[in-house]
Amino acid sequence: MIRLLIQVLLFSFFWSTAQYKTTHYNTSNGLPHDLCYGIIQDNKGYIWLGTDDGLVKFNGKDFKVFQIKEGLLSNYVIDVCEVNDSTFAIASWGGGMQILQKDKIIPYKNQVKSKINKIENLSKYLFAKGVGHKYHFYSKEKDDFKETIVSYYLDKTLVPTTSAVVNSTVKPQFEVVDNEIYLFNDVLFSNETIKGVYKVISPTQIELVFPFLKNEYVNDIKKIADNSFLAVTTNEVVFFSKDKIISRKTLPFKNSNIRRTSIKNNTMVLVLQENDGKAEKVVVWDIKKNTFFDVTEKELGGKQVSDVFIDKDKNIWISVYGSGVFKLSLESRFQIRSDLQNNNIYDAVTVKSKIFFLTSSKIIGIDTNRNQRDSLLYKESLWKFDDFTKDTLLLKTKESKGSSVVRQIFETNVKISSLEHLVYQDSTMLIKHGDNNILIKKGDKWYKFLFDGAIRRLVKKENKIYSCTNKGLFIYNLNTLILEKEITSQNGILNDDIRDVVIDGEKIYIATINGLSIVEKGEIKNYNENIGLLSLNINCLLLDNHGILWLGTQKGFSIFKEEVFYSFYKNAKENSSYIQKIVEDENQQIWLVGNNGSMKIDNKNAFSPVSSPILDINRTENKFYINVISYDDFEIITEYKINNSEWESLKTDLLDFTKFQYGEYQVVFRTRNTNSNWNYSKKHNITNAAPWYKQWWSYSLITLFISSLLTLILYFRFQHVKERNELLRQTIAYNENLQKELSEVRENVAQDFHDELGNKLAGITVLSGMMIEDEVFKSSVWFKQLFRINKDAQDLYFGIKDFIWSIDSKNDDLSELIFYLKDFGEELFLSSNIEFNSNVDIEKEHVKLPYYWSRQLLLLFKEAMTNTLKYSEAANCSLEVKVSRNKLKITFADNGKGFDITSLKRKNGLINMEKRALKIQGKLEINASKGTKIKFSNRIF
């Protein structure tokens, strides 16, 4: 570096024409205040800035501000320095020194409010400049930051003191070099008061260093390299080692003092103060080129410069007291300059220093050497350029009609060509092609090759022609005139529809409508997904003079270099959104044409990517907070990849794995500008564990608990059921005993009624019957009474007989009821003209009827049979009994005249039958439309 500086100083200075792009940050675009002070860049890449309204952290896009509400003791932040990773010391006016750790204010034991305006980090101390003549040492040994205040006074040499301020105290400026504090003159406040440079050994000890500078008023000092330093005086730069001065150079700044510097590589930034102490400006010195670039007082808003530094990407940052912050960045060599806007350009071709553009109705020409333009208007619908032969430029129209008319632009003849497209022509060969054929003339002989598909483009390279069609790529040998190779999707390329081809030695670049395929030595490599291309639909290709591939797509253009695509989006309304053609002229200018004019790029130097953005990833358990740091103006792309899945675009600055399914994950992040390489993060392993209540052991515990609980419940339930069963068994036994006793009572009652009441009624019936048969009684006045007694006795006997039958428990059997009803019917209809039939269909031999059923059913169907005998005039009647699945059905029917229920005057019999059915919860159906049918049904429990 020193050797380079010495060489530079042999030449005269001159003012640079280099262009810096200025970006101004103030309150209108995010800063909390325009009064700005110290500015630094930390080891992660963030810019930190002190302002009159808080501390600012900047990532190139967003300003994060720390103020009193975040824990600051004062919003007047004058300076900040990095202590270690994610820890910073803040110097504020009125709040003293405070510690910021991981974006949080951390209180400490010996915190004292004071006024300090500059702070630096040393191995054992934080060193700060305070109000008046005070300098503050904050000890870092126990993290208690115990404060020691010293002042410096002149007594032939500079002397530190912790005593009261004396009259000869001074205010030296300081700089940290190799983690050591160096004190020197402060031109801003003290003018020329301190000579030489002093190194601070401890709070109470300093020593004069670099003795060869002891008589110099040094305004700043910087380290250039190992054992290489520079110091600035009023208008000189002194280059020296630890032992001697190597060289010194007076800079061409009259009436100005160099107040402050910043240097990185070959760039030095100088802050100049006019001798009147009012105006300031910044000068950028390119040491290698020995040129200067001015940032004037007007550009800085006429304000005082608070601080300057050069960041890791060589951007220059200027903090201004009252005008915010300025960022100076060298304009990229890769500058895109737009031209011919509002013209849809179909094609472009270069002829020496001239370039011609084709629209639907005109040719536009530009002579790049003379910087002149011209154009030709056409009535025909122009389509594309054909070829340049000798001094004539051929072009095609959509009408595909040739013309003999020759026009001229920039001494170049222009003619509309015939049907076929001319590809190549010399004294030995001519090559043309139509929509689906190739014509080759060798000598006097023509050869024709036909295709099934349409020919997109034909390219001649050495002794081969490459035919791009919508059926694949066909390669012909011009020496043998045979098809040498056919490359289609069946061979492995992305698509058969091929738009363009470029040949580079043994490598063939193939542009398809589905991405880029590269064929080399029989191997095919495809690029079609997650590769950075703006669009997979590629229109055209160009291999530039540096061997770098350019691609025009439906959404912009890309550059392919070292297996990486650098893509350039439509970032301004004057740029084309899709690219039709890319050409390079003899001055190594790249021209890209499309739907909105042309774009020109200086390509004298090979394209190289810019610095990649910086990834700052903060992880809180299974949540990732992603910050991307970049101070370029290019669009930033940030992606993440989980396990072996495809890369996905990151839409927000948070990736929350707590919302993912439970399991093991590995995630990696990457970021890039559209024209930078990818910057990858480290791999992060995530265990997205289920909550305790979804862990296997919790399931086991829950299962065990539930099983135990169920077992306990079942045990008590079993005991309860056991007790109930025992009670039920006792109840059943008791009921069975009661039933048995009741049956015995019913049998006894029935027997007693039969023996006592039945016999006596039978006797009365017999005796009264004998009396009314006697001729003496027939003529007696008592005959009617005796006849009535006999009838009533018979009715009473038979009624009592039914009652006695029903209360007898053995007659609860269905078979007994059936037998009784059949016997009653046969006897009832025996002496009538009505034939009685019965049909019995029961599943079991013995069916026990519930108590009281037999009596109700007996009386119900006796009533039905009696009514049939009295009123039906029937010839037949039947009784049907059926039991199926515990359901009893008894039906009595006749084929008599039936009756109309609504016209009956007396309905007692029917009502009594319905009541008897209801008493045993049965269903009774009566149908008397065609004969009479009485049907009873109920389930036997």
Side-chain angles (χ1 to χ4, degrees), residues 10 56 209 255 297 307-308 363 382 389 436 470 557 602 624 641 727 735 748 828 831:
L10 296 176
V56 174
V209 291
N255 303 318
E297 172 193 358
D307 201 1
V308 294
I363 296 174
L382 304 181
T389 59
N436 59 358
N470 62 348
F557 71 96
D602 187 349
F624 292 84
K641 183 177 183 179
L727 180 61
N735 288 338
N748 293 332
L828 180 66
S831 58

Side-chain angles (χ1 to χ4, degrees), residues 346-360:
Y346 297 154
D347 202 356
V349 64
T350 60
V351 180
K352 298 181 180 179
S353 65
K354 306 173 186 66
I355 181 164
F356 298 98
F357 305 96
L358 190 74
T359 72
S360 61

Side-chain angles (χ1 to χ4, degrees), residues 294-355:
D294 269 359
V295 184
T296 64
E297 172 193 358
K298 183 178 180 181
E299 290 175 291
L300 297 175
K303 306 295 183 180
Q304 186 182 69
V305 175
S306 299
D307 201 1
V308 294
F309 88 97
I310 305 172
D311 70 15
K312 298 173 183 178
D313 295 326
K314 301 179 184 179
N315 297 309
I316 299 168
W317 296 82
I318 306 171
S319 172
V320 180
Y321 186 81
S323 295
V325 173
F326 295 83
K327 182 191 73 176
L328 306 182
S329 51
L330 272 172
E331 288 193 354
S332 171
R333 290 181 286 104
F334 197 80
Q335 290 293 315
I336 301 174
R337 292 176 172 82
S338 299
D339 200 357
L340 305 176
Q341 285 81 30
N342 302 318
N343 284 287
N344 187 1
I345 301 178
Y346 297 154
D347 202 356
V349 64
T350 60
V351 180
K352 298 181 180 179
S353 65
K354 306 173 186 66
I355 181 164

Side-chain angles (χ1 to χ4, degrees), residues 816-827:
E816 293 292 332
L817 175 65
I818 295 170
F819 177 78
Y820 197 99
L821 286 174
K822 286 171 64 178
D823 186 58
F824 176 80
E826 290 170 355
E827 184 178 349

Side-chain angles (χ1 to χ4, degrees), residues 431-521:
I431 304 173
K432 294 182 177 183
H433 78 85
D435 291 339
N436 59 358
N437 62 79
I438 299 175
L439 297 171
I440 300 176
K441 182 181 180 183
K442 294 184 71 174
D444 295 330
K445 191 172 183 179
W446 285 92
Y447 300 88
K448 189 172 185 178
F449 303 92
L450 296 176
F451 293 88
D452 290 336
I455 298 176
R456 305 292 193 193
R457 191 178 181 208
L458 201 66
V459 176
K460 179 185 179 297
K461 184 74 173 180
E462 298 175 350
N463 66 333
K464 295 180 182 179
I465 55 172
Y466 299 79
S467 178
C468 303
T469 77
N470 62 348
K471 300 290 185 179
L473 178 67
F474 300 88
I475 305 172
Y476 287 87
N477 190 307
L478 290 174
N479 295 329
T480 61
L481 294 178
I482 62 172
L483 179 64
E484 187 175 275
K485 194 172 186 179
E486 181 178 341
I487 303 175
T488 66
S489 57
Q490 292 182 348
N491 303 116
I493 66 172
L494 291 168
N495 198 285
D496 286 336
D497 197 346
I498 298 172
R499 299 304 178 91
D500 202 356
V501 64
V502 165
I503 301 91
D504 183 20
E506 295 184 350
K507 188 179 291 186
I508 304 174
Y509 297 96
I510 302 173
T512 79
I513 62 171
N514 197 33
L516 178 70
S517 294
I518 301 176
V519 181
E520 185 175 15
K521 296 179 180 179

Side-chain angles (χ1 to χ4, degrees), residues 22 40 356 815:
T22 302
I40 65 168
F356 298 98
S815 60

Side-chain angles (χ1 to χ4, degrees), residues 621-654:
E621 296 179 348
N622 287 354
K623 292 182 180 181
F624 292 84
Y625 298 88
I626 300 93
N627 275 305
V628 179
I629 306 168
S630 176
Y631 305 105
D632 290 321
D633 296 329
F634 303 105
E635 183 172 354
I636 295 174
I637 306 164
T638 306
E639 298 177 339
Y640 66 94
K641 183 177 183 179
I642 299 175
N643 297 339
N644 295 318
S645 63
E646 298 293 337
W647 288 97
E648 294 188 40
S649 178
L650 188 67
K651 304 298 183 183
T652 66
D653 59 359
L654 171 64

Side-chain angles (χ1 to χ4, degrees), residues 29-279:
N29 53 17
L31 275 180
H33 207 286
D34 286 339
L35 291 175
C36 298
Y37 303 99
I39 185 170
I40 65 168
Q41 185 176 34
D42 66 19
N43 61 4
K44 289 183 178 179
Y46 290 102
I47 299 295
W48 295 82
L49 170 70
T51 76
D52 257 8
D53 198 17
L55 175 68
V56 174
K57 179 183 179 181
F58 184 46
N59 65 2
K61 179 183 178 183
D62 301 312
F63 294 94
K64 184 175 183 178
V65 182
F66 302 87
Q67 298 172 321
I68 289 176
K69 61 183 179 181
E70 281 77 31
L72 288 181
L73 297 176
S74 169
N75 280 342
Y76 299 105
V77 177
I78 312 300
D79 201 11
V80 60
C81 70
E82 188 172 16
V83 179
N84 52 50
D85 185 36
S86 300
T87 302
F88 298 85
I90 303 169
S92 66
W93 197 256
M97 193 279 291
Q98 289 187 265
I99 297 296
L100 180 75
Q101 189 174 75
K102 294 182 179 179
D103 289 356
K104 291 184 178 180
I105 300 295
I106 306 298
Y108 59 91
K109 181 179 178 181
N110 297 301
Q111 190 161 340
V112 177
K113 287 186 177 183
S114 58
K115 297 178 179 180
I116 55 176
N117 57 27
K118 185 177 180 181
I119 192 164
E120 292 287 355
N121 179 49
L122 306 174
S123 57
K124 295 182 179 180
Y125 300 95
L126 292 171
F127 183 70
K129 185 177 182 181
V131 65
H133 300 81
K134 294 179 181 179
Y135 292 81
H136 302 252
F137 287 83
Y138 300 93
S139 175
K140 292 164 55 180
E141 289 184 354
K142 296 181 181 180
D143 287 335
D144 59 359
F145 299 104
K146 185 177 180 181
E147 184 181 41
T148 302
I149 299 176
V150 300
S151 298
Y152 297 97
Y153 65 93
L154 283 173
D155 185 7
K156 295 182 181 180
T157 184
L158 196 63
V159 180
T161 178
T162 57
S163 304
V165 177
V166 296
N167 292 333
S168 55
T169 53
V170 291
K171 302 176 183 178
Q173 189 54 272
F174 64 88
E175 190 65 46
V176 175
V177 178
D178 285 341
N179 209 33
E180 301 283 353
I181 287 287
Y182 291 87
L183 304 175
F184 44 84
N185 186 55
D186 188 348
V187 67
L188 184 62
F189 295 105
S190 303
N191 204 357
E192 296 180 346
T193 56
I194 304 172
K195 289 184 177 182
V197 178
Y198 295 83
K199 183 171 79 171
V200 176
I201 308 300
S202 70
T204 58
Q205 183 183 2
I206 63 173
E207 66 177 5
L208 181 69
V209 291
F210 312 127
F212 43 83
L213 296 175
K214 65 180 181 180
N215 294 317
E216 303 281 352
Y217 289 106
V218 176
N219 296 337
D220 202 357
I221 185 171
K222 291 288 187 289
K223 183 178 180 178
I224 303 172
D226 291 340
N227 197 30
S228 299
F229 305 88
L230 68 80
V232 295
T233 63
T234 301
N235 63 347
E236 279 189 329
V237 178
V238 181
F239 301 95
F240 61 95
S241 66
K242 291 182 179 179
D243 303 318
K244 62 181 180 180
I245 293 177
I246 297 173
S247 64
R248 57 198 310 154
K249 180 63 179 179
T250 301
L251 299 181
F253 307 126
K254 295 180 180 180
N255 303 318
S256 298
N257 287 325
I258 303 173
R259 182 170 69 80
R260 187 173 179 80
T261 64
S262 181
I263 186 169
K264 184 179 286 292
N265 299 328
N266 297 315
T267 302
M268 178 183 284
V269 182
L270 308 164
V271 179
L272 304 181
Q273 183 185 47
E274 299 295 327
N275 289 338
D276 57 12
K278 295 181 180 179

